[in-house]
Amino acid sequence: MSEDAGMERLIRSDLVNFGGYSASTSPETLEGKVEVPVEGIIKLDANENPYGCSPRVSQALATYPYLNIYPDAGQTRLRGLLQEYTGIGAGYIVAGSGSDQLIDLVLRLFLEPGDEVINCIPTFAMFQFSTELCGGKLVEVSRDENFAVDVTAVKAAITNKTKIIIVANPNNPTGTIMPQPDILEIVNTGLPVVVDEAYYEFSRATVAPLLTQYKNLMVLRTFSKWAGLAGLRIGYGFFPPEIANHLLKIKPPYNVNAAALVAVQESLKDIDYLMDRVKAIIAERDRLFGELTRLKFLKPFPSQTNFILCSVLDGKASKLQQKLQDRGILVRYFDKPLLRDSIRISVGKPEHTDALIKALREIGG
Ligand SMILES: *Cc1c(COP(=O)(O)O)cnc(C)c1O
């Protein structure tokens, strides 16, 4: 074999130009590159919970004796716990290594090469990522100027190749909520619809009660944001039971690890504590919104989540992001169609808001 032929020419041709996912920055990779020590970095770029997980989780993990044992592939105990927490029957529930994995599994289950997924942009990048990785074709429908889903346009985009319509509600990175009648109009098309409710505990908006009524509805949730478990990767979804069974069959057998199960168990024993933190984050979001409004060069959008999207009115969002990063404050910036020059700021603790606003005032003048 010739020297430079290499193996690369053998990979799936549709993945040669695959864009991947631009993940958030890990603070340790910034050591020496920012003006503060790594421990001083304020991470407001991935919608993580600034208060961390429940202390019960850390305690239970420190003494958990069965790390040598594979977790239950059938997720029996986990699905039982999730039934108790959500009120949705265990037969409807499948858990994943983050809800990211459930997006992937649903698309793997439904998509044949060339099948279409309708995606309402701008939205969560994993929908595109997984669609393309599964060999599907992404059909993009633009949201309007307030980032509301254009239901008429969604319906007009349906073809005989459409397999799934996916929407995040509330949407990331815009924070927008979709009115329930609009969701219903999409569900009433009869096509499989995925509603990603990653921020449910912040918004309290859900279509989960409609699951028994609509056989084409799927709902995703996660412990990453409200429960502070992003690092342990635990999400779940509600599916019609026959679809849940197919998902259980095709998922990697031990997709939710033992530590994540312990963490769910302990988090659910500490709901009051965690919901107090959620309330604090919501209050802080509203304070942050007020502070951002006062800055002339930013236009914040109202949010039902734990983050706020802002248009940067007088310059490049990438530059602003970099200047904040130099000061040890991480935010996310976007520069895509419909999301020109925008930054997304996750809600931190009050002192994080103070540091951010101080930095923004210094930078923005
Ligand atoms: C954060 C987020 C997720 C991913 O959650 P994980 O459970 O951590 O994989 C899914 N969907 C949306 C819309 C998100 O913002």
Side-chain angles (χ1 to χ4, degrees):
M1 205 182 243
S2 82
E3 251 176 89
D4 55 0
M7 283 191 291
E8 198 184 6
R9 71 193 167 83
L10 298 174
I11 71 170
R12 260 169 58 185
S13 58
D14 61 321
L15 291 185
V16 172
N17 293 314
F18 183 61
Y21 180 79
S22 81
S24 68
T25 310
S26 288
E28 62 266 31
T29 64
L30 292 175
E31 180 144 31
K33 295 185 189 151
V34 296
E35 293 161 16
V36 299
V38 170
E39 317 77 64
I41 288 177
I42 297 175
K43 198 169 179 321
L44 306 177
D45 65 341
N47 305 339
E48 291 143 334
N49 194 316
Y51 295 100
C53 62
S54 153
R56 291 190 66 125
V57 171
S58 328
Q59 279 155 25
L61 286 177
T63 55
Y64 182 73
Y66 305 116
L67 291 177
N68 57 323
I69 305 296
Y70 286 108
D72 170 22
Q75 306 178 338
T76 313
R77 169 131 184 80
L78 179 55
R79 293 163 83 207
L81 289 166
L82 294 172
Q83 167 174 324
E84 258 174 68
Y85 171 55
T86 63
I88 305 288
Y92 287 79
I93 299 174
V94 179
S97 171
S99 52
D100 281 357
Q101 186 179 46
L102 292 162
I103 296 166
D104 175 72
L105 287 172
V106 167
L107 294 171
R108 283 194 203 214
L109 186 62
F110 282 94
L111 293 186
E112 308 209 29
D115 280 349
E116 294 174 359
V117 174
I118 297 180
N119 192 34
C120 303
I121 56 165
T123 191
F124 188 47
M126 287 304 290
F127 302 156
Q128 172 171 7
F129 176 97
S130 289
T131 298
E132 292 178 349
L133 203 47
C134 292
K137 178 167 174 261
L138 200 71
V139 175
E140 298 187 323
V141 175
S142 296
R143 290 166 178 259
D144 71 13
E145 64 280 7
N146 295 315
F147 302 122
V149 171
D150 184 343
V151 177
T152 310
V154 168
K155 286 162 86 175
I158 294 171
T159 73
N160 58 6
K161 286 269 186 192
T162 309
K163 270 288 176 68
I164 301 253
I165 302 172
I166 189 161
V167 286
N169 193 45
N171 189 40
N172 177 8
T174 62
T176 331
I177 202 100
M178 193 175 171
Q180 183 129 322
D182 287 0
I183 304 179
L184 277 181
E185 206 178 326
I186 289 178
V187 175
N188 277 321
T189 62
L191 285 163
V193 175
V194 176
V195 181
D196 181 344
E197 297 181 351
Y199 300 92
Y200 164 70
E201 280 77 3
F202 297 95
S203 73
R204 290 287 162 192
T206 182
V207 288
L210 302 174
L211 280 156
T212 46
Q213 218 174 312
Y214 291 92
K215 302 286 175 238
N216 58 325
L217 180 59
M218 299 170 270
V219 175
L220 305 182
R221 301 267 184 90
T222 179
F223 280 75
S224 291
K225 292 21 189 283
W226 73 279
L229 295 180
L232 279 180
R233 314 302 305 123
I234 172 75
Y236 59 99
F238 307 129
F239 309 90
E242 61 282 8
I243 298 299
N245 285 334
H246 285 295
L247 289 169
L248 287 169
K249 230 172 33 189
I250 69 165
K251 74 176 178 58
Y254 308 118
N255 64 328
V256 177
N257 68 48
L261 171 58
V262 172
V264 165
Q265 193 171 298
E266 296 303 314
S267 296
L268 295 180
K269 284 185 202 156
D270 214 5
I271 287 281
D272 290 348
Y273 172 93
L274 289 169
M275 288 324 278
D276 275 351
R277 295 293 179 272
V278 167
K279 272 190 215 143
I281 292 166
I282 291 172
E284 192 56 24
R285 176 191 71 206
D286 296 344
R287 184 174 82 94
L288 173 62
F289 188 88
E291 294 288 344
L292 292 169
T293 308
R294 251 167 258 144
L295 295 168
K296 294 285 172 284
F297 62 103
L298 292 180
K299 181 192 172 211
F301 290 90
S303 169
Q304 301 288 314
T305 62
N306 65 341
F307 58 82
I308 295 177
L309 183 78
C310 299
S311 284
V312 182
L313 300 176
D314 70 342
K316 282 256 160 284
S318 60
K319 269 197 202 142
L320 179 58
Q321 184 267 340
Q322 185 61 49
K323 285 180 182 169
L324 286 169
Q325 177 170 311
D326 293 342
R327 287 168 164 78
I329 300 174
L330 308 186
V331 301
R332 194 78 186 253
Y333 87 92
F334 298 92
D335 190 17
K336 295 187 214 167
L338 291 165
L339 221 49
R340 285 275 168 249
D341 279 319
S342 305
I343 58 169
R344 190 195 64 196
I345 305 167
S346 307
V347 180
K349 295 178 179 176
E351 60 265 36
H352 300 149
T353 301
D354 294 344
L356 171 78
I357 296 297
K358 181 166 174 279
L360 285 171
R361 286 213 183 98
E362 286 167 12
I363 295 166

